[in-house]
């Protein structure tokens, strides 16, 4: 004898089957994006500096950028001072192994080590300030067009040099250094000659050091004794020794990369300061937004407001106006500074 399934029971079974099928096929709601997003302070970022943060030059300028970026963006970027050349690669690896998201390093001298190490840590971004090499999707150097800054310095130097005898000292003869000194020397001599100093000339030397203060003093003394009356030095702490020599021997000094006017008042008549507060904030903001692309060099200069002349009372309003006009000519494309490079 067969038993018939009651109609109500059959209907209930059908409903349950339908509910189960709909539930099984329904998409799983995505997790909230806020659950996985990092805040600015969660990113692990570090800056490697080749010298001390109180050098009143390159390292101090970069450190100021770090502080501004942290204050503006809410990041917690760390720093390490006095990283020596022999330790570049191991220091990069140390922070990459510890899972840092962004490793920055201040100076072209870090280029080779950064590009070498980056290949082994694709999840870490490597950014060299003043970097000129980018050989990977995670290598994104930022480059202030320093030859534009040296152009500003030269416009001042050419106007204030007593006899048009210019001396320049660079840290190391890398490509960026040579280009900025090329522009400085050509411009300073040209401006001096326009003032009627027909015998204007520039003498260059390299310290092959960033931190030998005594060497900087010795080199500057020798150049002044040979007739130089206006000095321009871009060699970090080496420059501090050169300023001391200029002060003792009565030469004129044009500060560079940081505001060095107070280092030796009356000797340093003007400086060209790098606004790395703006530069760093711009860079870190791009990184946080995922827009700091690799395989390219990100550049900025006069037009981006990265370089600013800082004057003392020794610089007249007339000279300041000439400098402003010269800077505007770069922005307007009326002057091509790259034509001054000796090696094209």
């Amino acid at each position: 004898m067969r038993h018939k399934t009651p109609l109500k029971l059959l209907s209930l079974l059908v409903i349950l089957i339908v509910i189960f099928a709909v539930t099984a096929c329904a998409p799983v709601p995505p997790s909230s994006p806020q659950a996985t997003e990092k805040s600015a302070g969660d990113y692990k970022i570090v800056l490697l500096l080749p010298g001390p943060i109180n050098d009143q030059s390159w390292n101090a300028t970069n450190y100021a950028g770090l502080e501004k970026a942290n204050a503006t963006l809410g990041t917690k970027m760390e720093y390490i001072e006095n990283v020596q050349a022999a330790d570049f690669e191991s220091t990069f690896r140390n922070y990459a192994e510890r899972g840092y998201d962004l490793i920055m390093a201040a100076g072209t001298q870090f280029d080779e080590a950064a590009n070498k190490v980056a290949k082994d840590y694709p999840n870490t971004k490597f950014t060299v300030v003043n970097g000129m090499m980018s050989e990977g999707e995670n290598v994104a150097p930022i480059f202030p067009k320093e030859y534009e800054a040296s152009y500003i310095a030269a416009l001042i130097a050419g106007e204030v040099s007593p006899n048009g005898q210019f001396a320049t000292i660079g840290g190391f003869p890398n490509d960026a250094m040579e280009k900025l000194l090329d522009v400085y020397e050509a411009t300073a001599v040209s401006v001096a000659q326009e003032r009627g100093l027909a015998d204007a000339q520039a003498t260059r030397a390299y310290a092959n050091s960033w931190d030998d203060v005594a060497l900087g003093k010795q080199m500057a003394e020798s150049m002044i004794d040979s007739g130089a009356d206006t000095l321009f030095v871009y060699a970090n702490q080496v420059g501090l020794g050169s300023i001391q020599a200029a002060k003792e021997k009565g030469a004129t000094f044009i500060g560079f990369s940081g505001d060095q006017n107070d280092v030796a008042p009356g000797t340093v008549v003007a400086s060209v300061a790098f606004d790395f507060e703006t530069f760093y904030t711009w860079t870190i903001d791009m990184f946080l937004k995922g827009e700091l692309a690799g395989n390219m060099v990100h550049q900025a200069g006069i037009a981006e407001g990265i370089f600013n002349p800082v004057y003392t009372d020794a610089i007249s309003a007339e000279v300041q106006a000439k400098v402003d006009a010269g800077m505007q000519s770069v922005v307007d494309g009326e002057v091509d500074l790259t034509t001054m490079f000796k090696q094209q």
Side-chain angles (χ1 to χ4, degrees):
M1 179 178 175
R2 293 187 301 169
H3 297 279
K4 295 183 178 180
T5 304
L7 182 59
K8 289 184 178 180
L9 180 57
L10 181 61
S11 299
L12 179 60
L13 286 172
V14 171
I15 292 172
L16 289 174
I17 291 171
V18 171
I19 292 174
F20 175 78
V22 171
T23 302
C25 296
V28 178
S31 59
S32 172
Q34 285 78 14
T36 57
E37 285 184 356
K38 286 184 178 181
S39 67
D42 292 330
Y43 285 93
K44 299 174 70 174
I45 307 173
V46 65
L47 171 65
L48 314 186
L49 294 164
I53 62 173
N54 62 349
D55 70 345
Q56 297 176 291
S57 185
W58 174 250
N59 295 281
T61 298
N62 280 268
Y63 178 69
L66 174 151
E67 287 194 306
K68 183 65 174 182
N70 281 346
T72 302
L73 302 173
T75 48
K76 297 178 181 178
M77 193 188 321
E78 307 162 26
Y79 69 94
I80 177 171
E81 300 174 275
N82 298 306
V83 180
Q84 301 303 302
D87 301 321
F88 287 174
E89 184 175 332
S90 61
T91 306
F92 276 125
R93 289 190 183 281
N94 177 36
Y95 283 99
E97 286 286 348
R98 291 160 59 187
Y100 274 66
D101 301 290
L102 172 64
I103 303 175
M104 297 185 68
T108 309
Q109 61 267 43
F110 288 95
D111 255 344
E112 186 175 344
N115 280 269
K116 179 180 180 180
V117 175
K119 297 174 183 178
D120 298 330
Y121 302 94
N123 295 324
T124 296
K125 183 80 73 174
F126 293 78
T127 293
V128 175
V129 184
N130 267 28
M132 302 179 71
M133 292 173 58
S134 181
E135 300 174 351
E137 294 183 359
N138 61 330
V139 183
I142 57 174
F143 184 76
K145 291 182 277 187
E146 293 174 313
Y147 59 86
E148 293 189 358
S150 67
Y151 176 68
I152 301 172
L155 292 173
I156 301 170
E159 294 287 351
V160 302
S161 176
N163 302 306
Q165 301 302 301
F166 304 97
T168 62
I169 299 175
F172 286 85
N174 57 53
D175 185 62
M177 182 68 72
E178 291 183 349
K179 287 178 177 177
L180 75 90
L181 292 180
D182 287 346
V183 170
Y184 174 87
E185 292 167 355
T187 303
V189 169
S190 177
V191 171
Q193 289 176 340
E194 290 174 2
R195 289 173 49 216
L197 300 175
D199 294 330
Q201 61 179 339
T203 302
R204 182 188 306 187
Y206 290 102
N208 292 313
S209 172
W210 299 110
D211 53 18
D212 193 333
V213 178
L215 176 61
K217 187 173 187 294
Q218 179 184 354
M219 292 178 69
E221 287 174 341
S222 177
M223 298 174 94
I224 295 170
D225 290 342
S226 296
D229 58 50
T230 304
L231 276 68
F232 173 82
V233 181
Y234 190 22
N236 297 354
Q237 292 154 271
V238 173
L240 298 180
S242 299
I243 292 176
Q244 184 62 33
K247 178 180 179 180
E248 293 176 1
K249 289 183 172 290
T252 298
F253 197 97
I254 307 298
F256 198 64
S257 83
D259 180 0
Q260 298 180 316
N261 294 354
D262 292 336
V263 177
T267 296
V268 183
V269 298
S271 295
V272 178
F274 293 11
D275 182 2
F276 272 25
E277 294 186 1
T278 296
F279 198 31
Y280 267 69
T281 302
W282 171 70
T283 301
I284 301 302
D285 185 52
M286 282 198 296
F287 169 74
L288 296 175
K289 292 177 178 177
E291 299 173 356
L292 189 61
N295 281 320
M296 66 176 293
V297 178
H298 303 265
Q299 299 191 54
I302 290 176
E304 290 75 24
I306 298 299
F307 308 125
N308 301 300
V310 184
Y311 303 109
T312 67
D313 293 340
I315 308 301
S316 69
E318 179 183 2
V319 170
Q320 293 182 36
K322 289 181 179 180
V323 174
D324 288 342
M327 293 174 65
Q328 189 61 46
S329 69
V330 173
V331 175
D332 294 340
E334 297 173 358
V335 176
D336 182 2
L337 301 181
T338 64
T339 61
M340 301 181 192
F341 299 162
K342 292 180 180 178
Q343 295 182 354
Q344 297 294 328

